[in-house]
Amino acid sequence: PKPQTPNPKPQTPCEFCQSEIIHKQFLNPQLILQNSINGMTSILSPTILILALVMVITGTINAIANKSQTHAGFNHPLMMTIEMFLGEYLNLLILVVPLIFSSVWRKSHFEEVRENAKKAQRSTSVSFFRLGLGGFLDTFGSGMQMLSIMLLPTSIWQMLRNGTVIFVVLFTIFYLKQKIPRHQWLAVGILMIGFLIVGYASNIKVKTDSLKEGEGNAILGFIILLISLGFTGFQYTYQEKLSMDYEFDPKRLIGAESVVGALSIFILYFVTSNIKCPNEGLCGNNLTFDDPSTAINQMLSNGTIRFWFIVIIFSIMIFNLTGLYLTKKVSSMFRIIVDSIRTILVWVISIYMGLEDFGWSRFYFQMPGFLLLLLGNLIFNEILVIRCFGFDSELRSSKKETEEQLKIDE
């Protein structure tokens, strides 16, 4: 008899719904290896290269646009989070409209979900609240990231977001109860060192830095961003847990998270509009922490803010659409290269546009920190293999298992 094929590990839904799709980390060594093998064959495709270029451009534009808004005096983190969500809602409409208006597509869709659930022996009965909880986490995580960009140089903010994988690993151990391979522990250690070095660089005062970026406020921005990465890391891990226990279409997850995320923002706005402003660099006015009426008035009366508002929405929409395709088609190595190019572009353009200032004292720390973050990602995704001290022992074992599984599938 033909050997029974083990249940395949479900595809993690956050590949489809996160605004930072390119940062998705696969913790399963077999998935990493198989993804790299399959993805490398299509890298030179003109379609892939064009989409990668579009993704780099729109991702860079999005980071620059967010910082430009704050430089125009728009210090409203919750409204900036709403801008991001609006871009994601446009993605949702593109994905869901065919299901609404095409009975053939709808029938095929639900048949596929039931068939996948049967093969994987997972339930399709998952509550709306359980699916939507990620939206609550996304609201807090994204809101705090928008808050931190007001206080940090754009390039440092972009680099530090690579620290999400550190929290993903921690939650994978303590929440999912999964074992992390030795070489990935090494990668996390390198990432932590790079993360701290870049964080220290943010506190180095450049002579012409703006008042909101510099000693004191930079430390606060670093702490806020660190907390936001914790929310984002748990969101990724929670979504992976859902995909392990239930079978559902990622579009349903996006819809549930969108509704819960919108409700979370309204609740937060009610709270923040009644909290006295704790720091001049954090508030859109001198009275309350964040007030929606002030944000809307600024947007209506300031053409620059309106321009960046539109740019943010459409850049995140296009970024997600290209990421949706590339995540399934390219290797982890290709994604890291694309992300590194985007980070460097954000750095160069921010200096050119005057959004941050260049100083050798900061550069001497920021560049080594960035290289360590890049090195950690290469080791974590098993693109760079350390063949000493047993760091490749589990990788050799997983490679053998993957090859045997491929033979069975054939």
Side-chain angles (χ1 to χ4, degrees):
K2 184 178 180 180
Q4 190 173 11
T5 303
N7 294 332
K9 183 176 175 61
Q11 193 173 35
T12 309
C14 58
E15 294 175 22
F16 296 90
C17 61
Q18 295 304 318
S19 59
E20 292 298 329
I21 294 174
I22 203 167
H23 286 291
K24 170 65 186 142
Q25 304 292 340
F26 296 99
L27 295 176
N28 188 320
Q30 295 183 13
L31 285 179
I32 296 171
L33 181 65
Q34 193 167 4
N35 185 56
S36 296
I37 293 172
N38 294 338
M40 289 298 290
T41 60
S42 60
I43 286 180
L44 297 180
S45 163
T47 302
I48 294 294
L49 292 176
I50 291 172
L51 288 176
L53 179 62
V54 172
M55 193 172 188
V56 168
I57 293 172
T58 53
T60 302
I61 289 174
N62 185 258
I64 296 298
N66 278 300
K67 189 63 176 180
S68 297
Q69 269 198 327
T70 66
H71 267 243
F74 192 76
N75 298 331
H76 298 279
L78 287 178
M79 184 59 70
M80 293 168 72
T81 304
I82 290 175
E83 292 170 356
M84 185 195 70
F85 279 170
L86 286 174
E88 294 180 348
Y89 293 157
L90 291 178
N91 289 136
L92 180 62
L93 289 175
I94 294 172
L95 295 171
V96 170
V97 164
L99 293 179
I100 297 175
F101 295 101
S102 173
S103 58
V104 176
W105 195 310
R106 189 163 55 248
K107 181 181 178 181
S108 173
H109 161 73
F110 287 112
E111 286 179 352
E112 182 180 354
V113 171
R114 285 192 291 268
E115 184 66 24
N116 291 338
K118 185 178 180 180
K119 288 180 180 178
Q121 297 180 352
R122 292 192 298 269
S123 172
T124 58
S125 301
V126 54
S127 68
F128 178 86
F129 173 77
R130 184 168 291 183
L131 281 176
L133 182 59
F136 175 79
L137 298 169
D138 195 13
T139 298
F140 274 89
S142 300
M144 297 185 80
Q145 285 193 23
M146 294 300 103
L147 191 61
S148 64
I149 198 175
M150 300 176 184
L151 304 172
L152 292 171
T154 322
S155 60
I156 288 180
W157 177 80
Q158 184 69 35
M159 292 178 188
L160 289 176
R161 294 170 74 191
N162 287 312
T164 305
V165 66
I166 299 172
F167 291 94
V168 170
V169 167
L170 293 175
F171 288 123
T172 298
I173 295 169
F174 296 108
Y175 179 61
L176 297 182
K177 308 296 183 183
Q178 293 180 1
K179 183 181 177 182
I180 302 301
R182 186 182 301 180
H183 61 279
Q184 290 186 340
W185 274 117
L186 172 65
V188 169
I190 294 173
L191 284 167
M192 288 183 67
I193 295 172
F195 186 82
L196 292 174
I197 292 175
V198 174
Y200 176 76
S202 69
N203 195 46
I204 297 176
K205 183 73 174 176
V206 177
K207 185 176 180 180
T208 54
D209 270 348
S210 68
L211 294 176
K212 294 177 185 176
E213 301 168 2
E215 192 171 358
N217 278 346
I219 296 177
L220 178 60
F222 177 78
I223 294 172
I224 292 172
L225 182 60
L226 188 66
I227 297 172
S228 77
L229 296 181
F231 277 101
T232 304
F234 184 65
Q235 181 189 5
Y236 289 166
T237 313
Y238 177 75
Q239 289 170 335
E240 184 175 354
K241 174 67 174 174
L242 282 177
S243 68
M244 293 165 62
D245 295 341
Y246 301 97
E247 181 66 34
F248 51 86
D249 189 272
K251 292 186 284 293
R252 184 183 171 197
L253 178 72
I254 298 172
E257 288 191 349
S258 299
V259 173
V260 174
L263 292 175
S264 301
I265 288 179
F266 283 121
I267 294 172
L268 283 175
Y269 251 139
F270 177 77
V271 174
T272 57
S273 60
N274 289 282
I275 296 178
K276 187 177 179 181
C277 179
N279 186 305
E280 183 181 351
L282 298 178
C283 305
N285 56 56
N286 295 322
L287 300 176
T288 60
F289 188 78
D290 198 358
D291 179 30
S293 60
T294 305
I296 294 172
N297 287 334
Q298 271 191 278
M299 201 171 293
L300 293 176
S301 60
N302 191 316
T304 301
I305 293 175
R306 285 199 305 273
F307 170 76
W308 290 121
F309 174 82
I310 296 171
V311 169
I312 288 171
I313 291 175
F314 284 97
S315 64
I316 198 65
M317 181 195 75
I318 299 171
F319 180 85
N320 277 351
L321 286 176
T322 53
L324 173 63
Y325 183 84
L326 287 176
T327 299
K328 298 186 289 182
K329 295 294 183 180
V330 301
S331 67
S332 54
M333 178 179 181
F334 192 73
R335 294 196 306 273
I336 291 174
I337 291 172
V338 169
D339 194 38
S340 300
I341 294 172
R342 180 167 64 114
T343 300
I344 294 171
L345 281 176
V346 168
W347 194 356
V348 173
I349 294 173
S350 295
I351 294 173
Y352 177 78
M353 292 181 62
L355 299 176
E356 67 177 86
D357 298 290
F358 180 82
W360 287 107
S361 57
R362 177 184 289 172
F363 177 84
Y364 290 143
F365 286 93
Q366 188 174 354
M367 178 55 77
F370 169 67
L371 293 176
L372 285 173
L373 289 170
L374 178 60
L375 176 63
N377 269 295
L378 291 173
I379 295 175
F380 188 88
N381 287 279
E382 298 173 2
I383 297 164
L384 178 63
V385 179
I386 307 299
R387 302 188 184 281
C388 59
F389 304 112
F391 284 117
D392 63 334
S393 57
E394 290 163 295
L395 180 59
R396 289 197 303 267
S397 175
S398 64
K399 181 178 179 181
K400 184 178 179 181
E401 291 176 8
T402 301
E403 290 173 347
E404 292 176 352
Q405 180 62 49
L406 292 174
K407 289 179 181 179
I408 291 175
D409 292 340
E410 290 174 358

